[in-house]
């Protein structure tokens, strides 16, 4: 039995004898701590109680934990002694709870405290100790006053610049929304006559400057503590709220700016016309406008494939449905006998007496050559007032509608005549100008290639690039 016991113990604890498990390493042994007011220097002998009162009073002194610790006093910390002191000194425990980790790390807290113990223990008299502690707190107070002056200056400067940055973001957003909602000519996508135009570059530069200043003032704020911090806390919250508002507007700016860059890219794109044996009645510029504004984003840089044309396939609504019925994304374009061009983007056409379609549907119109060219292009998106997108039968095709029965675009079953009115679906003006009725000279229906086209971009106008 003794042999077996010895063997098992030797196997489990090879570095010990067979008398039992090893003793814990020195780091895990309970250490007897000598408190700071015990085993004192000769100058404090007989006054241990006075020394103890000074040490217990240390955590209550103003700004005492923000004194600068000299490098030679940054020694290894005695955390066993720290634990004992926390049990004895309630003021020390409260100070640690208040400062760690919100204002300083655990190591920094004890570095300062043990340095203060060193100062107290090495004082030769109570008068010398009072003078030393007063000097430490006064030096810190003067330093904080200088920091407060610097903080106030930086706060005013930063607030002014962040306010300017916020205003730049809001102005750009306002101008971008005007450009989008008022359907300004995409060639002039960066122009706005309502006020001085704000460029995206100036917004980005201003926001970067605001971020750097915010970092600087945050660093300054960390150097101010205690009662001094209470004086600037309101400023910090105000600036933080202002900065958050600016960054929220900055996110909206980036979204709108990216949209405009996408539009600008589409402005330079002219689709190749596929399966078209005859020349289309639309011009390259008109096709560019349609790509940049009418089509959904996913189709704006795709080539067009002809599905149906009265010039190529004949005037027949049966041929119309047979050739376009299997396609879910189509562009219908009409030319009247007076040269006016208008149409719509629709989610396909099928024989269905009930309304169908999607909110991506758009109707558009170009002025005829003899009309005013200043506003030669208009398009109207879904108004969300109703969902009367398309209703198509062998007798007629209606694009849009309302309770009054009027459609934005109405074609008869022979594809020879049509009419246009204002309607609730798009809140549009009549697409044929002053004339409600029209005769169809030519009609085309297009769909779009699956692959993105990369070789159909035209040079962008010089002034647009310079403006950007």
């Amino acid at each position: 039995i003794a042999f077996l016991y010895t063997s098992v113990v030797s196997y489990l604890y090879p570095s010990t004898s067979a008398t039992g498990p090893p003793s814990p390493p020195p780091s895990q042994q309970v250490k007897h701590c000598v408190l700071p007011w015990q085993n004192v220097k000769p100058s404090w002998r007989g006054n241990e109680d006075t020394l103890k009162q000074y040490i217990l009073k240390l955590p209550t002194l103003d700004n005492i934990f923000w004194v600068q610790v000299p490098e030679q006093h940054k020694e290894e910390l005695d955390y066993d002694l720290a634990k004992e002191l926390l049990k004895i000194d309630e003021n020390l425990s409260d100070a640690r709870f208040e400062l760690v980790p919100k204002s300083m790390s655990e190591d920094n807290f004890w570095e300062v405290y043990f340095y203060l113990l060193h100062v107290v223990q090495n004082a030769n008299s109570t008068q010398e100790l009072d003078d030393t502690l007063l000097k430490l707190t006064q030096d810190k107070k003067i330093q904080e006053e200088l920091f407060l002056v610097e903080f106030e200056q930086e706060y005013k400067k930063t607030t002014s610049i962040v306010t300017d940055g916020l205003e730049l973001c809001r102005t750009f957003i306002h101008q971008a929304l005007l450009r989008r909602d008022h359907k300004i000519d995409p060639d002039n996508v960066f122009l706005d006559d309502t006020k001085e135009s704000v460029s995206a570059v100036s917004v980005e530069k201003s926001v970067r400057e605001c971020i750097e200043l915010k970092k600087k003032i945050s660093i300054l704020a960390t150097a101010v503590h205690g009662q001094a911090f209470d004086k600037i806390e309101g400023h910090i919250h105000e600036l933080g709220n202002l900065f958050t508002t600016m960054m929220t507007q900055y996110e909206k700016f980036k979204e709108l700016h990216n949209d405009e860059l996408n539009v600008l890219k589409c402005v330079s794109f002219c689709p190749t016309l596929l399966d078209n044996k005859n020349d289309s009645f639309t011009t390259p510029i008109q096709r560019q406008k349609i790509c940049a504004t009418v089509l959904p984003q996913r189709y704006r840089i795709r080539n067009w494939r002809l599905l149906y044309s009265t010039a190529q396939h004949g005037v027949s609504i049966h041929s119309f449905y047979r050739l376009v019925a299997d396609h879910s994304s189509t562009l219908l374009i009409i030319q009247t006998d007076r040269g006016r061009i208008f149409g719509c983007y629709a989610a396909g056409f099928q024989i269905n007496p009930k309304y169908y379609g999607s909110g991506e549907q758009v109707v558009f119109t170009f002025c005829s050559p003899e009309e005013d060219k200043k506003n030669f292009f208009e398009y109207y998106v879904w108004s969300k007032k109703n969902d009367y997108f398309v209703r198509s039968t062998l007798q007629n095709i209606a694009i849009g509608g309302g309770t009054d029965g009027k459609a934005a675009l109405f074609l008869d079953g022979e594809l020879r005549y049509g009419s246009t009115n204002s309607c609730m679906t798009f809140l549009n003006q009549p697409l044929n100008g002053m004339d409600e009725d029209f005769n169809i000279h030519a009609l085309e229906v297009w769909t779009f290639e699956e692959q993105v086209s990369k070789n159909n971009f035209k040079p962008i106008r010089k002034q647009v690039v310079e403006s950007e």
Side-chain angles (χ1 to χ4, degrees):
I1 292 172
F3 174 75
L4 289 174
Y5 174 75
T6 304
S7 300
V8 170
V9 170
S10 299
Y11 177 77
L12 293 176
Y13 309 105
S15 62
T16 65
S17 66
T19 59
S23 59
S27 62
Q28 296 180 8
Q29 295 181 14
V30 178
K31 181 181 177 182
H32 178 69
C33 297
V34 178
L35 298 175
W37 47 85
Q38 300 171 348
N39 192 23
V40 298
K41 290 180 61 176
S43 58
W44 284 106
R45 286 175 186 167
N47 295 310
E48 286 85 351
D49 289 341
T50 304
L51 176 62
K52 181 178 179 180
Q53 293 306 315
Y54 268 103
I55 292 174
L56 295 178
K57 187 177 69 172
L58 278 176
T60 65
L61 299 178
D62 289 340
N63 299 320
I64 196 65
F65 281 97
W66 301 107
V67 300
Q68 201 72 22
V69 180
E71 286 296 327
Q72 63 269 26
H73 291 287
K74 293 183 179 179
E75 301 173 355
E76 185 175 350
L77 303 175
D78 188 349
Y79 279 109
D80 291 318
L81 177 58
K83 290 177 182 178
E84 289 298 320
L85 290 171
L86 285 173
K87 296 176 183 177
I88 297 170
D89 190 348
E90 185 177 344
N91 292 327
L92 179 63
S93 180
D94 291 342
R96 177 176 173 271
F97 178 80
E98 182 68 26
L99 297 174
V100 179
K102 182 175 70 173
S103 301
M104 60 173 55
S105 68
E106 188 82 41
D107 287 348
N108 288 341
F109 178 84
W110 291 112
E111 274 182 1
V112 174
Y113 184 72
F114 284 126
Y115 168 64
L116 294 172
L117 288 182
H118 171 80
V119 170
V120 173
Q121 289 173 320
N122 286 275
N124 294 317
S125 65
T126 56
Q127 183 62 45
E128 179 185 334
L129 180 56
D130 288 336
D131 294 341
T132 302
L133 293 177
L134 181 62
K135 184 176 184 302
L136 286 174
T137 54
Q138 282 184 340
D139 288 346
K140 186 60 183 177
K141 186 175 182 181
I142 293 172
Q143 186 181 11
E144 283 198 343
E145 287 176 355
L146 294 175
F147 269 120
L148 281 175
V149 172
E150 185 178 1
F151 178 86
E152 286 292 337
Q153 294 173 347
E154 288 297 327
Y155 168 76
K156 292 177 181 178
K157 176 183 176 182
T158 304
T159 301
S160 175
I161 292 176
V162 172
T163 302
D164 292 342
L166 175 60
E167 183 61 26
L168 278 176
C169 288
R170 284 174 170 168
T171 302
F172 184 96
I173 291 169
H174 170 71
Q175 293 176 348
L177 291 175
L178 283 178
R179 289 189 287 267
R180 186 189 70 184
D181 296 341
H182 290 189
K183 308 172 185 63
I184 295 175
D185 185 347
D187 282 347
N188 296 324
V189 72
F190 292 104
L191 305 180
D192 180 14
D193 296 333
T194 58
K195 61 191 301 186
E196 185 177 353
S197 183
V198 173
S199 70
V201 174
S202 64
V203 175
E204 293 281 3
K205 181 179 178 181
S206 176
V207 171
R208 282 196 297 270
E209 184 179 8
C210 292
I211 292 173
E212 291 302 317
L213 286 172
K214 179 68 166 53
K215 289 179 182 177
K216 182 177 179 180
I217 206 165
S218 297
I219 293 172
L220 281 176
T222 59
V224 183
H225 306 279
Q227 295 178 354
F229 181 79
D230 295 338
K231 297 178 182 178
I232 65 171
E233 189 173 10
H235 287 340
I236 293 174
H237 286 308
E238 289 175 8
L239 184 59
N241 292 336
L242 182 63
F243 187 79
T244 301
T245 303
M246 186 201 70
M247 293 307 295
T248 302
Q249 295 297 308
Y250 177 61
E251 291 300 320
K252 293 180 181 179
F253 150 79
K254 289 196 294 185
E255 180 181 349
L256 288 169
H257 180 49
N258 288 335
D259 289 345
E260 290 200 333
L261 290 180
N262 289 332
V263 170
L264 186 62
K265 183 178 180 181
C266 295
V267 166
S268 67
F269 176 77
C270 184
T272 298
L273 304 182
L274 306 175
D275 295 345
N276 183 37
K277 297 179 181 179
N278 302 307
D279 292 335
S280 174
F281 52 78
T282 56
T283 66
I285 292 178
Q286 289 173 332
R287 293 193 287 273
Q288 282 181 301
K289 302 293 181 186
I290 292 172
C291 284
T293 55
V294 173
L295 300 183
Q297 188 70 41
R298 61 187 179 279
Y299 297 130
R300 289 187 175 180
I301 51 174
R302 306 286 180 92
N303 288 327
W304 297 2
R305 185 176 298 280
L306 184 67
L307 296 179
Y308 173 78
S309 166
T310 53
Q312 188 167 318
H313 302 98
V315 181
S316 168
I317 198 166
H318 293 279
S319 298
F320 173 89
Y321 284 122
R322 177 172 55 83
L323 294 170
V324 307
D326 295 332
H327 297 272
S328 60
S329 299
T330 54
L331 179 68
L332 182 147
I333 309 176
I334 295 169
Q335 183 185 41
T336 70
D337 58 354
R338 296 187 177 182
R340 185 91 179 213
I341 294 174
F342 47 80
C344 73
Y345 168 81
F349 292 93
Q350 55 186 276
I351 299 176
N352 191 338
K354 297 182 179 180
Y355 281 100
Y356 61 92
S358 74
E360 291 183 318
Q361 193 154 324
V362 180
V363 294
F364 62 91
T365 179
F366 293 93
C367 292
S368 59
E370 62 271 10
E371 291 181 290
D372 180 19
K373 289 195 174 185
K374 183 177 180 180
N375 297 308
F376 71 100
F377 177 66
E378 292 284 346
Y379 69 100
Y380 303 92
V381 299
W382 179 35
S383 68
K384 300 183 181 180
K385 300 291 184 181
N386 61 42
D387 56 359
Y388 299 166
F389 298 114
V390 182
R391 180 176 55 80
S392 51
T393 65
L394 291 173
Q395 287 71 43
N396 55 65
I397 299 173
I399 311 295
T403 55
D404 56 2
K406 294 183 178 180
L409 185 59
F410 181 88
L411 308 179
D412 76 327
E414 297 182 357
L415 300 182
R416 296 185 181 277
Y417 310 101
S419 63
T420 175
N421 291 278
S422 300
C423 78
M424 292 297 294
T425 309
F426 305 104
L427 296 180
N428 62 290
Q429 296 297 318
L431 305 180
N432 195 35
M434 301 299 294
D435 298 325
E436 179 179 323
D437 299 322
F438 57 86
N439 296 324
I440 300 174
H441 175 69
L443 183 149
E444 296 173 347
V445 180
W446 302 86
T447 191
F448 314 100
E449 274 194 315
E450 291 298 323
Q451 299 298 322
V452 176
S453 303
K454 299 181 179 179
N455 301 318
N456 300 73
F457 292 92
K458 305 298 181 182
I460 303 173
R461 278 177 21 182
K462 183 178 178 182
Q463 59 265 39
V464 179
V465 177
E466 289 177 348
S467 175
E468 168 57 6

